[in-house]
Amino acid sequence: MPLAKLASLVEKMAAESSSALGFGVGAIVRLVTLHDERIEGEVVAFDHSARIIVLKCPSSNGKSDSNDISFVNLNNLRHLEMIKGAPKSSSMSVQPVLPNLNYGKLSLRKKSNSDEKMKKINHIGSGVSSTAQKLFDTILKTIPEIEWNGEKIIVMKTVLISPPYFAENCQMQETQPVSQTKNNGQSLSHVTKIVMKFHDDNKEILSTPSFISASLPLDLT
């Protein structure tokens, strides 16, 4: 839903909010859903026809200068409890003025979340062995600049790890400029040590190779 439309919806819901359920805008409530999810927050708006309540909750990222906004369907609640009543103004025709939404900040957060999900998708190799994927995940823990190129792993855009992914399969990419030879050599040495440690730590597990069949479905006929 476009951010402007979402903002308009919340503002409309806030204007329609009342004490029909015993609380209004500004009340603090505690909810328990049918899936036993517990939510506590401040009532921002309520849509009577859709029975949707909007709550402003403490930020899940722990930051004090931001909040999570939760849309909850009241038909899916197991328990609803009012912790603190709404300000007197909530029972009047004039509702408290809500802060403006920061569209720029919301857009950046949306893009950041989208980019993060795409990164996670791209971190899964297609048709590679479980050993290769485990090595990739191990390197990723300390070096975020890593990607797949078919069955090959590229680290920091300089080091190439080819199947079967041992230390001797690590090499510099041929496209690297000569001026960066020293730094690239250090990168190669660092990545090679990680690969060697990976195989040393997983000798027993890797003795029986298994594969991720992500390329083609199995034909069982």
Side-chain angles (χ1 to χ4, degrees), residues 10 14 17 23-31 39-46 53-59 67-72 81-87 89-90 95-99:
V10 172
S17 296
F23 54 77
V25 171
I28 306 298
V29 298
R30 179 183 296 132
L31 313 175
I39 306 173
E40 183 174 327
E42 177 185 343
V43 177
V44 176
F46 172 64
I53 188 171
V54 183
L55 299 180
K56 181 174 71 173
C57 309
S59 177
N67 295 93
D68 290 345
I69 300 296
S70 298
F71 286 70
V72 183
E81 176 186 358
M82 183 169 68
I83 306 301
K84 180 181 178 182
S89 59
S90 291
Q95 297 295 322
V97 178
L98 300 175

Side-chain angles (χ1 to χ4, degrees), residues 60-220:
S60 56
N61 61 19
K63 295 183 178 179
S64 59
D65 60 345
S66 61
N67 295 93
D68 290 345
I69 300 296
S70 298
F71 286 70
V72 183
N73 188 331
L74 295 182
N75 293 325
N76 295 329
L77 292 184
R78 186 190 306 277
H79 175 75
L80 187 154
E81 176 186 358
M82 183 169 68
I83 306 301
K84 180 181 178 182
K88 291 183 178 180
S89 59
S90 291
S91 61
M92 303 178 183
S93 58
V94 179
Q95 297 295 322
V97 178
L98 300 175
N100 293 326
L101 292 174
N102 188 327
Y103 297 115
K105 191 173 182 179
L106 289 174
S107 296
L108 288 175
R109 181 179 297 179
K110 179 181 177 182
K111 184 178 184 305
S112 176
N113 290 340
S114 178
D115 291 345
E116 186 63 27
K117 288 181 179 179
M118 285 304 302
K119 282 183 180 180
K120 290 181 179 179
I121 292 174
N122 293 332
H123 287 164
I124 301 175
S126 176
V128 301
S129 69
S130 58
T131 299
Q133 185 63 57
K134 190 171 183 179
L135 173 61
F136 184 100
D137 295 340
T138 299
I139 299 174
L140 178 62
K141 291 178 181 179
T142 55
I143 306 177
E145 194 175 358
I146 181 173
E147 59 185 337
W148 286 103
N149 182 6
E151 294 185 346
K152 298 179 180 179
I153 300 174
I154 299 177
V155 186
M156 297 182 287
K157 300 186 182 299
T158 58
V159 181
L160 188 69
I161 309 174
S162 304
Y165 312 104
F166 287 98
E168 57 267 27
N169 304 120
C170 301
Q171 63 184 61
M172 300 301 306
Q173 288 212 84
E174 297 179 356
T175 56
Q176 295 305 306
V178 178
S179 59
Q180 299 181 4
T181 300
K182 183 177 180 180
N183 291 335
N184 292 343
Q186 293 175 346
S187 299
L188 175 60
S189 175
H190 180 59
V191 173
T192 301
K193 289 178 181 178
I194 294 177
V195 174
M196 291 176 65
K197 187 177 186 305
F198 167 79
H199 284 282
D200 288 341
D201 293 343
N202 296 275
K203 282 182 179 179
E204 295 183 3
I205 299 175
L206 301 178
S207 59
T208 305
S210 58
F211 296 87
I212 302 174
S213 54
S215 55
L216 293 174
L218 292 176
D219 183 4
L220 301 178

